[in-house]
Amino acid sequence: MADLDALRARFARALESARGGAGGPDPGPYADHLLRRWQEPRRHYHTVAHLTAVLDHVDELQAYADDPDVVRLAAWFHDAVYLPERSENEERSARLAERALPEAEVPGDKVAEVARLVRLTVTHDPADGDRDGQVLCDADLAILGSPPSAYAHYTAAVREEYHFVPADAFREGRAAVLRQLLDLPRLFRTPYGREHWEATARHNMRGELEMLSQPVPPSS
């Protein structure tokens, strides 16, 4: 189980840093609103466990970021709106950040950067030199480089989120996502990500793609 109090404290630290330590509204209600979203019953992978993992990976990668706390805020918002049947979740999540963070007295340039980072998770393809984008995308994709048992749990949870999609359509769509990622010259852009996750992630994804390409056995 995720430690919600610890998550609230992490959000408060990131928010207070982003607004320069100046006074402002209590971070608590903002954290609670986001946590309610991350705990929606429709979620099976995009849960507080995923949020915690992404924040932990941002901590691992923070030396590569220009503004780690802005990246942390982007992690909080990047899947805050999540409806599996909709295609504009990242855009709606970015717009949520653009509404909430000014109210929380985060400066406009940092609000814009959080929203930009959230939108970047559509492609996970940050530009060279986009240090904050590289850190967020690597942190979000780190699950791909996990050990086989964790990767299998991840793929099962993703399938459960898309339970309403027929098996053949899901396999086709999932395979397309995997091919898009595998076609990237590099999945991970930080030196840490390339060293620790790249090879395992490609092995995991190729194995999943091979499994998806096998015929579905007829139901009895």
Side-chain angles (χ1 to χ4, degrees):
M1 292 290 292
D3 185 335
L4 299 185
D5 287 337
L7 283 168
R8 290 184 187 95
R10 293 173 84 166
F11 178 83
R13 287 194 297 271
L15 182 67
E16 288 163 0
S17 173
R19 60 192 185 193
D26 179 1
Y30 296 94
D32 287 341
H33 176 78
L34 288 166
L35 287 170
R36 284 194 296 272
R37 288 179 172 275
W38 283 95
Q39 295 178 92
E40 292 163 338
R42 72 174 67 90
R43 297 170 182 252
H44 299 279
Y45 171 65
H46 296 89
T47 63
V48 288
H50 172 59
L51 170 62
T52 302
V54 174
L55 291 170
D56 289 346
H57 292 311
V58 172
D59 288 349
E60 287 182 275
L61 301 172
Q62 64 179 333
Y64 303 105
D66 288 327
D67 194 334
D69 284 311
V70 163
V71 179
R72 291 182 177 100
L73 289 178
W76 274 89
F77 281 95
H78 84 286
D79 284 321
V81 178
Y82 188 73
L83 296 168
E85 68 276 14
R86 303 288 288 271
S87 62
E88 70 278 13
N89 290 314
E90 293 86 358
E91 178 61 29
R92 294 177 68 200
S93 295
R95 291 179 183 177
L96 178 64
E98 289 170 333
R99 293 193 302 272
L101 292 176
E103 181 182 291
E105 298 186 10
V106 174
D109 59 333
K110 296 198 175 188
V111 174
E113 177 66 355
V114 169
R116 183 190 72 82
L117 292 170
V118 171
R119 292 183 173 104
L120 187 58
T121 61
V122 175
T123 62
H124 292 96
D125 190 14
D128 292 341
D130 180 4
R131 287 164 53 87
D132 289 342
Q134 290 172 359
V135 167
L136 179 63
C137 290
D138 278 17
D140 195 25
L141 293 181
I143 182 64
L144 301 177
S146 59
S149 60
Y151 188 84
H153 181 77
Y154 150 71
T155 58
V158 170
R159 179 63 181 112
E160 196 166 358
E161 285 186 339
Y162 286 89
H163 64 90
F164 55 89
V165 178
D168 287 345
F170 177 82
R171 288 158 69 93
E172 181 179 344
R174 178 68 182 171
V177 170
L178 293 172
R179 291 190 190 98
Q180 178 186 9
L181 289 170
L182 285 168
D183 284 345
L184 293 172
R186 300 190 307 274
L187 283 168
F188 298 100
R189 306 305 177 89
T190 64
Y192 185 98
R194 289 197 299 272
E195 178 182 352
H196 290 88
W197 301 325
E198 182 85 21
T200 302
R202 289 188 177 274
H203 175 78
N204 285 336
M205 294 165 69
R206 290 190 187 107
E208 184 186 0
L209 194 56
E210 181 178 352
M211 182 188 68
L212 292 169
S213 68
Q214 294 174 358
V216 179
S219 57
S220 57

